[in-house]
Amino acid sequence: MKKTLKIVYTLATAILLTGSFTSQAQTQSRAHSAAHKQLLANNAGAKDQIKLIDQSSFIDLVDEPEPELDIYTEGWNSRSVNPFREADVPSSAVIDVTDFVMPHMGRITSNYGYRARFGRMHKGVDIGIKMNDTIRAAFDGKVRLTNYEAKGYGNYVIIRHPNGLETVYGHLNKHLVKPDQVVKAGDPIGLGGSTGRSTGPHLHFETRFMGYAINPSAIFDFANHTTHTDTYTFSKTTYQQPRNYAPSRQLAKSEGENPYTQASSQKGTYTVKKGDTLLSIARAYGMSTTTLRNLNKLENGETIKVGQTLKLK
């Protein structure tokens, strides 16, 4: 009898232990499965993040983001941003542009000009920067406005200058100045960033005269970090045109023009001259090389030839 009870007790103990081990194994398995799923989720997130960064960089290099809403005319705070009346704007004015400082030494990544894809103007130039690069005031002046526009310029600063110009600095990561603050040319006014409508870090830089968005390339020679001349003559008929005094263009000499004649934005085509490149032509007519290639259905890497006619519109 005792022997039989001992056998029954032993079998019951074995069953209990087996159940315990099975329950423990199932718990461990569920924990391992959960951990494994979390690991996969983390890895997927990392891959997605890398893909997003790569894609953003790719877009920034080969395509143009949609031009920002014009804070002077379309922004939610436009009435305080644009205090100028059309009746007060003269038909022409000579502006002193000496004593300037480049807002940043980066290269131009997107030019001023009409964007057919989006049906609107890009009213400044985009300058390539690294995140938190120092952005500087282009001229002496007083800060008129610092603000944030989520659908466009992000954090931006507007500075009014004694020469009659206003300069706009968009997509800043941080303001370093406040309204009514007096600044000197070269003073830090913000840290560069990618706030607002932006595919990557860059500075959106505008030059305005009484609300009119002048093509910055008419005033600044960005390639050589200087101004074209000591004065710029504003005109309501030519303010959108760039100026290009690059000797490689040879356009003025070959056509017998004054070498300081502004490149005409009214032309519909351009005939390639010796020494021309897509970049030099695009800059001369206030557009990006991407736009120029698209207008002429040129593949990436396809070269242009002397005598070739390119569409400009």
Side-chain angles (χ1 to χ4, degrees):
M1 181 69 178
K2 289 183 179 181
K3 186 175 181 181
T4 302
L5 289 174
K6 185 175 182 181
I7 292 172
V8 171
Y9 175 78
T10 302
L11 287 172
T13 302
I15 291 170
L16 287 173
L17 288 173
T18 301
S20 176
F21 288 145
T22 301
S23 176
Q24 185 177 1
Q26 289 175 345
T27 301
Q28 290 176 342
S29 176
R30 284 195 294 268
H32 176 76
S33 177
H36 182 66
K37 288 179 180 179
Q38 184 62 44
L39 179 61
L40 290 176
N42 290 341
N43 287 340
K47 289 178 181 178
D48 291 342
Q49 187 176 19
I50 292 170
K51 186 184 295 183
L52 178 62
I53 292 171
D54 290 344
Q55 186 179 11
S56 296
S57 300
F58 179 74
I59 291 172
D60 195 47
L61 288 173
V62 304
D63 205 350
E64 298 163 298
E66 180 177 350
E68 301 87 345
L69 293 173
D70 182 0
I71 55 174
Y72 275 75
T73 59
E74 300 174 35
W76 58 271
N77 202 24
S78 62
R79 283 178 296 179
S80 66
V81 173
N82 186 9
F84 306 104
R85 296 188 308 166
E86 174 62 27
D88 295 333
V89 183
S91 58
S92 65
V94 178
I95 300 170
D96 182 353
V97 292
T98 56
D99 300 324
F100 76 98
V101 171
M102 298 300 291
H104 190 275
M105 293 297 185
R107 67 182 182 86
I108 300 297
T109 58
S110 184
N111 284 292
Y112 174 103
Y114 181 72
R115 300 294 187 260
R117 292 175 56 192
F118 309 114
R120 67 170 60 184
M121 285 285 291
H122 183 230
K123 295 186 176 181
V125 296
D126 292 342
I127 301 174
I129 64 167
K130 294 180 181 178
M131 186 65 76
N132 290 321
D133 274 358
T134 300
I135 308 302
R136 301 181 184 278
F139 302 97
D140 293 352
K142 179 183 283 190
V143 178
R144 185 163 70 80
L145 183 66
T146 63
N147 212 334
Y148 178 78
E149 174 53 62
K151 295 181 179 179
Y153 293 42
N155 291 316
Y156 65 89
V157 171
I158 299 178
I159 303 176
R160 182 173 292 183
H161 308 286
N163 60 8
L165 290 177
E166 286 195 334
T167 49
V168 183
Y169 311 78
H171 304 304
L172 301 176
N173 192 36
K174 182 180 181 180
H175 303 124
L176 297 180
V177 290
K178 297 179 179 180
D180 297 324
Q181 181 175 335
V182 175
V183 295
K184 293 291 185 181
D187 282 354
I189 55 96
L191 301 180
S194 185
T195 56
R197 187 188 294 272
S198 173
T199 60
H202 71 280
L203 171 68
H204 176 81
F205 176 64
E206 293 184 11
T207 49
R208 297 261 183 168
F209 178 72
M210 301 190 73
Y212 276 72
I214 298 169
N215 188 335
S217 294
I219 299 173
F220 294 96
D221 177 356
F222 289 98
N224 296 300
H225 304 141
T226 186
T227 53
H228 292 297
T229 51
D230 289 341
T231 60
Y232 167 73
T233 301
F234 166 80
S235 167
K236 287 183 177 179
T237 60
T238 62
Y239 72 94
Q240 292 183 338
Q241 299 176 8
R243 290 191 290 178
N244 182 14
Y245 303 153
S248 62
R249 237 180 123 236
Q250 302 296 323
L251 176 62
K253 290 183 180 179
S254 65
E255 296 186 357
E257 298 175 358
N258 185 310
Y260 297 104
T261 298
Q262 292 180 340
S264 173
S265 63
Q266 304 305 314
K267 291 185 177 181
T269 61
Y270 174 75
T271 303
V272 178
K273 305 294 189 299
K274 185 177 180 180
D276 281 338
T277 64
L278 275 177
L279 179 60
S280 67
I281 297 170
R283 282 182 174 174
Y285 289 94
M287 66 179 73
S288 70
T289 54
T290 301
T291 299
L292 189 57
R293 284 186 182 279
N294 290 340
L295 285 171
N296 292 277
K297 298 180 179 179
L298 298 173
E299 301 292 336
N300 285 333
E302 186 175 348
T303 58
I304 55 176
K305 299 177 181 179
V306 174
Q308 181 177 351
T309 301
L310 298 178
K311 293 179 180 179
L312 300 175
K313 295 182 179 180

